[in-house]
Amino acid sequence: MVRKAGGRVVPYVYDFAEGSRNSAELLGAKGASLAEMTRMGLPVPPGFTVTTQACRVLRAMGDFPEELTGEVAEHLSALEAAEGRRLGQVDDPLLLSVRSGAVFPSPGAAETVLDIGLNDLSVLGLAKEQGWGRERFAWDSYRRLVQMLGSTVLGVPPSLFENVLRQVRDQHRVADDAALDTCDLIRIVEMFKDLVLERSGREFPQAPAEQLRQAILAAYTSRSAAWSRPDRSHEAPVDVSDTAVTVQRMVFGNRGADSGSGVAYPGGASGRGGLAGVYLPNAQGGEVLSGSRDALPLQRLAVLDPASFHRLRECAEHLADRYSDLCAIEFTIEKGVLWLLEAQRQPSGR
């Protein structure tokens, strides 16, 4: 399939630094916001975006074209070189997140897979990493990967994973997963892998490159299924089912009390009217809005981590100066370091 614009071949994959806020039709709303924040010098985990053009090709072919496979591998190699770590290496592995980012976002249509790169060997390397000292963290991350990839990619109903977690919690008479220890999580990982094999007929993929490929493909195909009958005029220049996919280095909000995730809602047209929102310590982003744990008012972050709260407020002001239609900022704090994951805009701003 020819990809040309103004006589030149258009890539399938863009580094975050190569786009802007006006690139949503190509990079999706999420990819465009990450590109703009990167260009602004704001703290964004590095990564790249696979475009909406790739979405159309994948819909037509049902799999990766050769050119897309090569471009993903090229950008992954550049990210590995910049980070000094490889995807899936057995000691201190590079881990990735994959998130869909539609041109026209809609509730319930996004797909996310975190901690890509963990397998039966690299989880042991992560558990032994110097300075972390958290076997529990490593196995909890692996548990999350098997659960997300199993439900998003391999079609295992999410309720079945939740049933396993509930069973183990009930056995230990604890209210939530945070009370489970390392041995419990190792057991849960094995139960999850058995569940994947039983329900999908496929082993959980151990090859990190295959995890990444399947997660990208699932992000595209799930969006197409969710919009199988799009409500749009035939003259529309962009299909509402079009989505891009962002691939980023993982940042961890679940690394202890000095980590967490949240959503901030800037107040006032200038963004200087104060911040509202929610924050959940020692949690990844999906837990903030899922209701599985009670989130704190964002103002509590000013007490728990004044430096991160001040930095978040500065970033919100810079973003409000750039976006008149800014409505929310998704963020993660890892060991006291703030990272921005998306700047969401009002629908009228797209």
Side-chain angles (χ1 to χ4, degrees), residues 93-144:
L94 174 67
L95 302 181
L96 302 175
S97 67
V98 170
R99 296 179 173 91
S100 63
V103 177
F104 300 103
S106 63
E111 295 291 352
T112 298
V113 180
L114 305 180
D115 304 310
I116 287 173
L118 285 176
N119 56 27
D120 291 349
L121 291 178
S122 63
V123 68
L124 301 177
L126 184 61
K128 294 178 181 178
E129 184 184 347
Q130 291 293 325
W132 287 38
R134 287 193 175 89
E135 284 188 334
R136 188 194 181 283
F137 167 82
W139 284 98
D140 185 45
S141 297
Y142 195 19
R143 183 271 299 178
R144 293 168 190 263

Side-chain angles (χ1 to χ4, degrees), residues 14-328:
Y14 285 73
D15 184 82
F16 287 165
E18 296 177 311
S20 73
R21 61 178 173 172
N22 299 318
S23 307
E25 290 187 5
L26 182 65
L27 304 178
K30 182 185 291 292
S33 79
L34 290 168
E36 187 70 18
M37 290 191 294
T38 298
R39 290 163 65 94
M40 292 171 65
L42 298 180
V44 173
F48 53 88
T49 299
V50 190
T51 67
T52 56
Q53 287 196 336
C55 176
R56 298 178 198 124
V57 174
L58 283 169
R59 274 205 304 260
M61 296 181 58
D63 204 348
F64 276 46
E66 183 178 346
E67 299 91 341
L68 175 56
T69 299
E71 289 186 35
V72 169
E74 179 183 343
H75 281 76
L76 175 58
S77 294
L79 180 59
E80 289 175 327
E83 293 294 312
R85 294 179 290 169
R86 290 181 294 103
L87 183 68
Q89 71 182 44
V90 295
D91 58 327
D92 188 18
L94 174 67
L95 302 181
L96 302 175
S97 67
V98 170
R99 296 179 173 91
S100 63
V103 177
F104 300 103
S106 63
E111 295 291 352
T112 298
V113 180
L114 305 180
D115 304 310
I116 287 173
L118 285 176
N119 56 27
D120 291 349
L121 291 178
S122 63
V123 68
L124 301 177
L126 184 61
K128 294 178 181 178
E129 184 184 347
Q130 291 293 325
W132 287 38
R134 287 193 175 89
E135 284 188 334
R136 188 194 181 283
F137 167 82
W139 284 98
D140 185 45
S141 297
Y142 195 19
R143 183 271 299 178
R144 293 168 190 263
L145 171 63
V146 179
Q147 184 173 358
M148 289 184 183
L149 202 71
S151 58
T152 299
V153 175
L154 301 174
V156 180
S159 61
L160 298 183
F161 293 108
E162 291 300 328
N163 288 342
V164 171
L165 289 170
R166 187 179 305 109
Q167 173 188 337
V168 177
R169 288 196 303 264
D170 290 347
Q171 288 174 351
H172 291 280
R173 298 181 181 181
V174 297
D176 60 50
D177 304 338
L180 300 176
D181 64 19
T182 302
C183 290
D184 296 325
L185 292 166
I186 293 173
R187 177 186 169 208
I188 288 169
V189 166
E190 294 306 313
M191 294 171 73
F192 277 5
K193 289 194 294 184
D194 289 343
L195 180 60
V196 166
L197 178 59
E198 175 188 343
R199 296 301 298 237
S200 72
R202 300 159 62 186
E203 297 273 2
F204 176 80
Q206 291 290 310
E210 181 62 14
Q211 294 174 5
L212 178 59
R213 189 192 73 84
Q214 290 189 21
I216 293 173
L217 185 60
Y220 281 127
T221 56
S222 64
R223 174 71 182 184
S224 296
W227 288 91
S228 59
R229 298 181 64 183
D231 179 17
R232 64 184 177 93
S233 69
H234 64 276
E235 294 90 357
V238 180
D239 190 330
V240 295
S241 68
D242 281 350
T243 189
V245 176
T246 59
V247 179
Q248 282 182 283
R249 170 172 63 80
M250 278 293 302
V251 290
F252 299 98
N254 58 328
R255 285 191 60 182
D258 56 356
S259 305
S261 299
V263 181
Y265 306 104
S270 67
R272 294 176 170 82
L275 288 178
V278 292
Y279 178 70
L280 190 57
N282 196 23
Q284 289 187 331
E287 297 168 271
V288 177
L289 299 178
S290 69
S292 59
R293 293 167 55 192
D294 293 333
L296 304 175
L298 184 61
Q299 293 301 320
R300 283 284 297 158
L301 181 59
V303 178
L304 297 171
D305 187 347
S308 292
F309 182 79
H310 177 71
R311 178 66 170 136
L312 177 62
R313 189 167 55 189
E314 287 182 333
C315 291
E317 291 177 358
H318 289 310
L319 285 167
D321 288 340
R322 188 66 59 97
Y323 295 109
S324 62
D325 52 1
L326 180 69
C327 65

